[in-house]
Amino acid sequence: MYQIYTADQYLWEGLNLDGKTVLEGGTSWGNTTRRIAEKVKEHQWKTKLISVDIDDSHFDEIKEKLSESFDALDLRKGDLSKLDFIEDNSIDAIICNYTLSSVNQFPLRAVTVLKEFHRALKPGGQLVIMEEIPLWAVEHRDYPYWSQRLRVIKSISILKAMAHFNEIHPNDLEETLKTLNYQEVQYQEFKEAIDSSLATKFLDKRKQTLLKGYNDIDNDHLTKGFVEMTEKLVKELEQEKSFSAPAYIMKASK
Ligand SMILES: C[S@@+](CC[C@H](N)C(=O)[O-])C[C@H]1O[C@@H](n2cnc3c(N)ncnc32)[C@H](O)[C@@H]1O
């Protein structure tokens, strides 16, 4: 697999959403929802988007900003592993960006989600997934800030005995999709540019998780050490506009 430096072109290659019903997996703060809305507007497509997330905290804001771009925008609070409200063979395309590793906080949950996606897709329907590539170790020279960020956020989750993201290697995802009877499975790796200000916000949230909550670590040294580590990384990132992260786009059809 070779690396490309911009994912956007590959993501949209062969994807025409005109007259289509599209399912988005993992709305979150609406980054990808906004990108789909831009594309739909640019091409004047008539597209119905159903966007699903287990957490609906950004739904009102997204609805207000993006509703007019779509023929219909249906934001649904729900679990992607149990899409009861979606009929079999009813979806033309599914776009699921940076969500499988979050679903996979419970290992193998992502497989159930991919099975649900397969049930929901029409024959010939397209699946597009963007994910982070897992790193073997944090001392990754190509991605120093990304590695340090992973160290901080995962260590804090483990210290607090919380579930954490589990990134899926593209080879494993490719095999899983084939096992689940997806066709034309292919992927490309690329370097993604992460906005430093978004990363620092996320790190700050992690610091708050460390300091608050019912399952506090009863050890001041540990807590202080991780707070220092997080603050040091935030300071370093404040000097950068963006930094690189390893990612891939996987495509398949039913
Ligand atoms: C990193 S965010 C998604 C980012 C977004 N797609 C984008 O492109 O910027 C991951 C999202 O997955 C959601 N999520 C995790 N497990 C889920 C599940 N089982 N069902 C639905 N949503 C889930 C989380 O609530 C979170 O909003």
Side-chain angles (χ1 to χ4, degrees):
M1 274 306 129
Y2 60 92
Q3 296 212 323
I4 52 175
Y5 292 88
T6 164
D8 204 56
Q9 193 187 339
Y10 182 65
L11 191 142
W12 292 104
E13 228 172 73
L15 206 56
N16 180 334
L17 305 182
D18 195 23
K20 303 283 171 67
T21 300
V22 180
L23 171 69
E24 185 197 7
T27 327
S28 188
W29 54 81
N31 242 8
T32 295
T33 326
R34 195 166 37 253
R35 187 69 195 104
I36 301 170
E38 284 167 5
K39 213 62 187 177
V40 163
K41 247 184 155 172
E42 184 189 326
H43 293 282
Q44 298 187 323
W45 286 336
K46 295 216 161 298
T47 304
K48 181 182 174 198
L49 182 73
I50 307 165
S51 188
V52 180
D53 202 296
I54 209 156
D55 170 8
D56 64 356
S57 49
H58 299 285
F59 280 7
D60 287 346
E61 191 190 330
I62 293 169
K63 200 166 201 139
E64 198 188 314
K65 287 195 178 141
L66 303 180
S67 280
E68 59 156 33
S69 305
F70 297 99
D71 238 20
L73 174 62
D74 182 2
L75 298 171
R76 287 273 185 149
K77 183 173 176 158
D79 187 336
L80 290 166
S81 65
K82 212 168 179 293
L83 296 169
D84 294 341
F85 51 92
I86 295 191
E87 285 180 27
D88 296 2
N89 307 311
S90 63
I91 302 290
D92 295 287
I94 298 179
I95 301 175
C96 185
N97 289 353
Y98 301 113
T99 293
L100 285 186
S101 54
S102 174
V103 164
N104 219 28
Q105 288 176 76
F106 304 99
L108 297 183
R109 180 71 55 89
V111 178
T112 317
V113 169
L114 294 168
K115 214 173 143 202
E116 269 298 79
F117 285 174
H118 195 272
R119 178 189 67 74
L121 276 175
K122 290 178 183 172
Q126 294 166 289
L127 174 67
V128 180
I129 293 169
M130 274 174 107
E131 275 302 318
E132 296 159 16
I133 299 179
L135 296 180
W136 282 113
V138 286
E139 285 79 17
H140 204 296
R141 277 165 211 204
D142 294 342
Y143 303 104
Y145 288 124
W146 181 249
S147 306
Q148 287 178 60
R149 174 191 170 276
L150 282 181
R151 188 207 305 267
V152 169
I153 59 177
K154 290 203 180 187
S155 304
I156 291 176
S157 299
I158 289 169
L159 271 180
K160 298 275 283 187
M162 291 161 60
H164 60 80
F165 283 24
N166 281 306
E167 298 80 14
I168 305 172
H169 194 280
N171 291 347
D172 299 322
L173 186 57
E174 185 179 32
E175 277 312 301
T176 306
L177 290 173
K178 286 178 182 168
T179 307
L180 292 172
N181 276 330
Y182 283 91
Q183 310 295 313
E184 300 170 294
V185 184
Q186 50 176 298
Y187 73 90
Q188 281 195 9
E189 295 180 6
F190 59 94
K191 274 189 184 176
E192 192 193 26
I194 305 280
D195 185 329
S196 293
S197 64
L198 283 180
T200 55
K201 260 190 217 157
F202 195 78
L203 282 165
D204 198 55
K205 237 172 116 181
R206 266 290 176 261
K207 192 177 86 181
Q208 299 310 326
T209 308
L210 181 69
L211 296 170
K212 293 179 192 158
Y214 61 90
N215 55 346
D216 280 336
I217 320 150
D218 197 13
N219 185 316
D220 285 348
H221 298 293
L222 263 181
T223 308
K224 204 165 160 250
F226 272 92
V227 166
E228 275 172 18
M229 210 165 105
T230 311
E231 287 176 346
K232 182 171 169 275
L233 181 55
V234 165
K235 270 211 180 95
E236 282 177 36
L237 286 178
E238 279 168 356
Q239 311 299 316
E240 307 286 329
K241 196 166 173 279
S242 65
F243 59 95
S244 300
Y248 63 97
I249 295 178
M250 180 77 60
K251 291 189 172 186
S253 62
K254 177 168 170 180

